Amino acid sequence: MPTPKALRPFAHREYRVLIAALAISIFGSGMWAVAMVYQVIQLGGGPLELSLVAAAGSAGLVAFVLAGGIAADRVPQRRLILAVEGANLAVIATVSGLAMTGLLQLWHVAAGSFVLGVGAAFFFPAYSAILPRILPAQDLLAANGMEGSMRPVLQQAAGPAVAGMVVAALSPSHAVTAVAACHLLAFIVLNFLGQHAQAAPTNGAERDGRGAAAGEGAGAPGTSFLHDLREGVRYTRQTPWLLWTLIWACISVLFLIGPIEVLLPFVVRDQLAGDSRMFGFLLAVMGVGAALGSLFTASFRLPRRYLTVMMVSWGAGSLPLAAVGVMDSFWAIAAALFVFGATGSVGMVIWGTLLQRRVPPHLLGRVSSLDFFVSLALMPVSMALAGPAAEVLPVWLIFLVAGGVCPVMAVIAMAAARMPDDELAHPLDRLPEAERTTAAGD
């Protein structure tokens, strides 16, 4: 019996090691999200202190994500991933030790949160860049789908749930210690990642748009940080499908994140007469949709019309949110959020695969970090604007605009970048050997 497509990446030892370590690490991150909250509360902190600690993590991520992308293109990704996990372990173990001995202070937690944010800024570009080195091209979609289905289950559901039980049964300090144990185990597993993974084939993306070998200039010792950053920005600006997808992402983050994160709780209260439990359940439904959408995408081949499927999934999937502000049925809102989570995940799995298949390997870390940066930079802006907007506009109108703008922008992005023509000119539904033959003839 042939192996299901979603499970094919597990045939490769390096991937099994990497995904096992990632699963443990993101489970620990989910635990930290809850353990950190109750650790701050135990130290006498209130909403302001908790906000500052959470903001420290976001600040570390946003401030260093571009540097993380450059590092992923300069430093062997295996070494970078190990260094990040080792730093995570050191930080959480220190916080745990201080908590257990009664010496922990709020600034320790904030500093730890900041370092964890910096670690994430370096980890994810390196993870994205190493996948094409350890997997053949035809398995990348399945690998991205597996990560996309695993993340909401472990980071948004299982990790927080286990941390909540540990806090209730023992203490926040014990939950932080459990997080340290997760990072220790992940660090141990990562040490089994083979050195030869760094020299594995790069799946047919050997040449950039100018015909230069992808490895040329990668990590050149004479280049500066700004030179490397400009090179990544220049490639993004000169690649229409990439540029316009990032423009769409900026607009969608700006219009969607604030209403979902800030205004949805008030929709639950005012339209559904619900409480925090109902709000939490709706977020869980969206997470389940994301997990199933990722798993579904991982089970099939990359579609021939990959750019069209990606943009239609994102655009059409945002449309149900336009009606959230007028719905008075719990199940209707749950269905809208499920569709939004599922279609968003379908697009994200295809997007991650496109970066790994079409971006030259020596630029992959930088382009991945630019993608990460533009999304993160506008997230707090969206949340900051949602509240004031609700003071002058009805909530239903805000959701109507948010759900309507994204499909329109998806159509504009497809037309401006000529995505239907581009995807036919650069087919990815062939075997890597065929791709390499085509690239050699360009």
Side-chain angles (χ1 to χ4, degrees):
M1 179 182 294
T3 304
K5 182 169 178 55
L7 300 179
R8 274 171 42 184
F10 288 95
H12 304 272
R13 177 191 175 277
E14 306 298 342
Y15 176 77
R16 294 196 300 270
V17 172
L18 185 62
I19 198 66
L22 180 65
I24 298 166
S25 184
I26 65 175
F27 176 79
S29 298
M31 290 191 68
W32 170 254
V34 172
M36 177 266 292
V37 169
Y38 287 97
Q39 188 68 76
V40 169
I41 293 173
Q42 188 183 59
L43 293 172
L48 176 60
E49 290 78 10
L50 182 58
S51 177
L52 290 174
V53 171
S58 298
L61 183 56
V62 173
F64 284 88
V65 69
L66 294 179
I70 292 173
D73 289 335
R74 282 175 167 258
V75 181
Q77 290 103 21
R78 177 186 181 275
R79 187 184 307 166
L80 193 57
I81 289 172
L82 271 168
V84 169
E85 200 57 48
N88 290 344
L89 171 60
V91 168
I92 298 297
T94 300
V95 173
S96 172
L98 291 171
M100 286 297 188
T101 56
L103 300 175
L104 187 67
Q105 299 179 35
L106 278 172
W107 75 267
H108 294 140
V109 185
S113 184
F114 178 81
V115 175
L116 291 177
V118 174
F122 282 86
F123 182 91
F124 289 105
Y127 172 81
S128 181
I130 201 174
L131 270 186
R133 295 183 176 277
I134 64 177
L135 287 175
Q138 61 268 28
D139 290 343
L140 288 173
L141 184 71
N144 290 314
M146 187 59 60
E147 184 210 348
S149 60
M150 185 176 68
R151 189 171 296 279
V153 172
L154 296 178
Q155 190 168 2
Q156 300 173 18
V162 171
M165 290 188 289
V166 174
V167 170
L170 298 171
S171 71
S173 303
H174 286 86
V176 174
T177 302
V179 175
C182 288
H183 286 294
L184 173 61
L185 183 56
F187 181 76
I188 293 172
V189 172
L190 281 173
N191 277 276
F192 290 95
L193 194 61
Q195 293 278 358
H196 66 277
Q198 298 174 32
T202 50
N203 301 311
E206 289 88 350
R207 296 177 176 269
D208 64 17
R210 298 177 299 278
E216 293 173 2
T223 59
S224 66
F225 176 92
L226 289 179
H227 173 274
D228 286 352
L229 181 58
R230 283 196 298 267
E231 189 179 15
V233 172
R234 183 169 60 249
Y235 175 82
T236 300
R237 193 176 62 246
Q238 295 174 351
T239 309
W241 68 268
L242 181 59
L243 174 64
W244 277 96
T245 303
L246 290 182
I247 291 174
W248 181 91
C250 288
I251 293 172
S252 67
V253 167
L254 184 62
F255 277 88
L256 291 175
I257 296 300
I260 292 174
E261 295 289 339
V262 177
L263 302 183
L264 187 58
F266 296 98
V267 169
V268 171
R269 184 193 69 183
D270 299 334
Q271 296 172 208
L272 305 180
D275 55 14
S276 59
R277 290 173 296 180
M278 183 179 289
F279 174 64
F281 188 79
L282 286 173
L283 293 184
V285 168
M286 187 168 65
V288 169
L292 293 178
S294 295
L295 192 59
F296 174 83
T297 310
S299 301
F300 297 92
R301 297 180 62 184
L302 187 70
R304 184 165 181 260
R305 291 280 189 175
Y306 50 87
L307 291 171
T308 299
V309 172
M310 179 180 72
M311 297 306 299
V312 169
S313 295
W314 279 336
S318 303
L319 198 56
L321 295 182
V324 165
V326 297
M327 292 176 177
D328 58 5
S329 166
F330 167 80
W331 293 109
I333 293 179
L337 292 175
F338 179 88
V339 170
F340 176 71
T343 54
S345 190
V346 169
M348 284 303 300
V349 172
I350 296 176
W351 171 245
T353 306
L354 294 189
L355 293 182
Q356 293 158 353
R357 296 281 301 270
R358 292 198 58 180
V359 174
H362 74 287
L363 291 170
L364 182 53
R366 278 166 281 179
V367 172
S368 297
S369 67
L370 283 170
D371 170 37
F372 212 9
F373 178 78
V374 298
S375 300
L376 291 171
L378 290 177
M379 204 174 290
V381 175
S382 178
M383 290 189 282
L385 291 177
E391 293 293 325
V392 296
L393 298 172
V395 171
W396 67 264
L397 181 59
I398 295 174
F399 274 98
L400 178 64
V401 171
V405 163
C406 293
V408 172
M409 278 307 305
V411 173
I412 293 173
M414 290 177 64
R418 303 181 65 183
M419 291 187 186
D421 294 335
D422 185 280
E423 62 196 356
L424 291 180
H426 301 88
L428 296 180
D429 57 346
R430 297 178 298 181
L431 293 177
E433 289 76 10
E435 294 174 21
R436 284 194 288 270
T437 301
T438 302
D442 289 342

